Amino acid sequence: MSKLYRLLTEEDTSAFCHKVSDALAKGWELYGSPAYAYDAANGIMRCAQAVTKDVPADYSADMKLGQQ
């Protein structure tokens, strides 16, 4: 069994909320607090949220985390 970790990031739009909601619907759990930062290179605000998930397989760097 492995605990997987992902950091979801997106521009501060509803797309970020949908990305997090989709991960939750697929069994991922929130990990820590969300982050909010200004992306000076693109002139936009960005959001981030870490999520984790326990899976029965051993971890491999080849895993497609978004498909777990």
Side-chain angles (χ1 to χ4, degrees):
M1 179 169 263
S2 298
K3 180 177 285 289
L4 303 180
Y5 172 90
R6 292 175 64 197
L7 181 63
L8 306 175
T9 62
E10 185 66 58
E11 185 175 340
D12 183 23
T13 66
S14 63
F16 175 73
C17 297
H18 288 289
K19 187 181 276 191
V20 174
S21 295
D22 182 57
L24 294 173
K26 292 178 178 173
W28 290 83
E29 297 179 6
L30 299 176
Y31 183 82
S33 298
Y36 194 57
Y38 182 66
D39 177 352
N42 295 298
I44 57 173
M45 295 300 291
R46 293 206 176 267
C47 302
Q49 174 64 58
V51 292
T52 61
K53 184 177 184 180
D54 291 322
V55 295
D58 289 334
Y59 172 75
S60 166
D62 297 328
M63 287 180 158
K64 301 287 186 196
L65 297 178
Q67 298 175 358
Q68 295 296 317

